[in-house]
Amino acid sequence: MAKLIPAFGSCRFENRGERRVAERLVDKLDDDYLIWYNVPVGQLQFHPDFIVFHPSRGILILEVKEWSFNGYIQEIDRDTWRVLDASSGGVKSVKNPLEQARHHALQVIDCLKLDPQLRQEGTRWEGNICCSWSYGVVFPNITRKEFDSQRCGQVIQASRVICKDEMVPSVDTEAFQKQLWGMFQFPMRDKLSLPQIDRIRGNLFPELRVASQVNLFTEEGEGHALPEMRVMDILQEQLARSLGEGHRVIHGVAGSGKTMILAYRAEYLAAASRKPVLVLCKSRPLADKLAQIMQQKGLAHKVHVKSFNAWCVSQLRTYGQTVPTQTTTLDAMFADQVDAVIRAVDRRHIPSAQYAAVLIDEGHDFPAHWLRLAVQMIDPETNSLLLLYDKAQSIFQKSKDTKFSFKEVGISARGRTTILKINYRNTRQILATANLVARELLSPQDADEDGVPLIRPMGGGRDGDETMVIQLSNRAQEWQRVSAQLQAAHKKGFAWSDMAIICRYKNGCDEAKDKMQYKHIPCELLDEKSGLDRVRILTMHTSKGLEFPVVSLPNMELMPSPSFDESEEARLFYVAATRATHQLIITSSGDSKFMQHLAASQIT
């Protein structure tokens, strides 16, 4: 069964004929076929009815015309067809449907030719794209007999047409596929590789591209080769395009692509709405990352990205309310600011319904009263909410503070909840290391659709280097080994900004910076944001939502801290370890319970 994007239940078919075509394509084509229905293509945002894609066959554009010769089609020729105008009752001239399909196909190919990596080189087909392509027309209400009797073959190539009796449910699968690929003039010589498939999808649908985190910390292009194009995977794209209206909740494990889906959803809603879209999260570094993504997409004016506390302060200032500042601790000040916004909204000094949609990343870090306030900011006319959640990564809230139902905070997502179990970010080795410490934490816990389940992550099947777990005698030796490993990674081709040192405590970050600078490794604290190619140094809490190819977790003898609950410490380690996408380096200059767990992996 082929994959239809958007999912069948989310497609808004213009007529019954298009619906029947979609049913037949899904049922009669195999699992490795992709079908896009009425999805805008490229920068011009043109809308072919169907794009059918197969890595060994190529790209086929299908135009569907729900016309008939029973009073609808009046006259046909090679250039134009005269058909009944249903809205006026008169007759109108339209382009020959095969020419319309050909025009869309050429636009698709022009999008792909812009990418040098998709053009053929060193052959007689120099400059052509690396896959076959073709186009055709489907007439769901015209039989082949009618097509022939009306001499349609004189004005439209008969081999590029599928008629009503050739797409009935009982049609032979092989015959149906043969007719589709009979529309091609030339077969493909080689099967497309996965990177080529990603580049085809990324060029046809730029909204699927994943913003490179390198550009969030460094000047674009400075010190870096042109990155490979990263795009959402097929299941993520299908989900993102199929979300529909109303309140939506996605429970997704670390590395499952929740933030990519949020970025796509924000772009889609911003284009469809007059009011701005609000994106909220707990941590400021994650908010900065999302804001940079929106800026790269040219959406900063329509999509407002804030950490929750920063948003509260901006609301108080915008509407002339007093901003609480004089409190005993920073946490107490933030709590007072949130309470001030809640009171002002209740008194209508701050208006509700300010945004067309509210999207919340890392929603597991939001206590109930934060979520309740965020829901009040949604315009009832659009009523659009997207909440991304992973109970296993809840590192800011105590367990007792997360025991509430979504209904209690005004979120109505029954029947609109999705679970993402596959971790695409981490290699099998990195995920296994994270699970060594957090395996008890990650025991699956079911919940009804109004509750919060705990999901065990499934690996995406990507292999990499074994995690380095290094036990040393003292702190000086440990920093020596950390610097040596980072220098080795740099010699392998990783940029300095591809690397991060993630520490349990803030004072560990300061120490790491001093030691790395002594070893002449360019580095900076995350807050410094110089825009240069440097190793980032940050705490485990501020690493939420970020990722780096190479991650060092030093001073592991400090975990679990006797001052904190062991399960909360395990959760924190899990978050930090899963920031690494390619290589994870764990060092310690002393023993601890977590290091004993990690002894199950190879000790260097």
Side-chain angles (χ1 to χ4, degrees), residues 97-149:
L98 187 60
E99 281 302 304
Q100 187 177 349
R102 178 178 177 272
H103 177 69
H104 279 154
L106 290 173
Q107 287 181 303
V108 165
I109 301 313
D110 286 344
C111 283
L112 300 181
K113 281 184 177 179
L114 295 174
D115 188 339
Q117 296 190 40
L118 293 177
R119 296 198 296 261
Q120 297 189 49
E121 297 180 355
T123 71
R124 61 176 176 158
W125 296 283
E126 185 92 24
N128 290 328
I129 66 167
C130 58
C131 69
S132 298
W133 59 276
S134 191
Y135 53 91
V137 178
V138 184
F139 291 119
N141 293 329
I142 298 176
T143 66
R144 180 62 65 172
K145 183 178 180 179
E146 290 173 321
F147 181 88
D148 292 337
S149 67

Side-chain angles (χ1 to χ4, degrees), residues 220-405:
E220 187 170 356
E222 183 176 335
H224 300 282
L226 180 68
E228 293 186 4
M229 187 180 293
R230 292 181 58 203
V231 297
M232 300 166 70
D233 86 340
I234 300 300
L235 294 178
Q236 292 165 341
E237 179 189 358
Q238 188 179 49
L239 172 60
R241 295 194 190 278
S242 306
L243 284 175
E245 300 175 348
H247 293 190
R248 301 278 167 168
V249 175
I250 298 177
H251 299 283
V253 299
S256 59
K258 298 186 298 298
T259 300
M260 288 191 295
I261 293 170
L262 180 142
Y264 170 87
R265 184 66 171 167
E267 182 175 2
Y268 170 81
L269 292 171
S273 307
R274 289 180 290 105
K275 287 187 176 182
V277 173
L278 176 65
V279 177
L280 294 172
C281 50
K282 172 67 169 69
S283 70
R284 186 170 58 81
L286 177 56
D288 291 343
K289 170 187 172 181
L290 291 170
Q292 184 67 31
I293 291 173
M294 292 302 111
Q295 186 173 355
Q296 289 176 355
K297 291 176 175 289
L299 295 172
H301 64 294
K302 288 293 296 287
V303 181
H304 302 171
V305 184
K306 299 278 188 182
S307 69
F308 190 82
N309 291 112
W311 175 77
C312 285
V313 171
S314 68
Q315 287 287 301
L316 292 170
R317 289 175 175 166
T318 299
Y319 293 99
Q321 306 298 301
T322 301
V323 180
T325 56
Q326 301 299 320
T327 48
T328 54
T329 66
L330 201 59
D331 287 343
M333 182 183 73
F334 288 155
D336 288 348
Q337 291 168 351
V338 174
D339 289 342
V341 174
I342 292 173
R343 291 194 303 271
V345 171
D346 289 342
R347 296 193 301 265
R348 299 185 180 182
H349 294 167
I350 292 178
S352 58
Q354 295 181 36
Y355 302 95
V358 172
L359 290 71
I360 301 174
D361 202 356
E362 308 286 8
H364 43 265
D365 291 328
F366 280 49
H369 63 292
W370 287 21
L371 292 172
R372 193 175 293 110
L373 176 59
V375 170
Q376 291 179 264
M377 292 295 117
I378 304 170
D379 187 336
E381 290 188 8
T382 51
N383 194 31
S384 184
L385 170 76
L386 176 61
L387 175 65
L388 307 182
Y389 216 97
D390 180 14
K391 188 176 180 180
Q393 295 189 74
S394 179
I395 60 175
F396 291 102
Q397 301 298 317
K398 301 298 182 183
S399 297
K400 64 180 179 62
D401 296 327
T402 60
K403 292 181 179 179
F404 56 85
S405 70

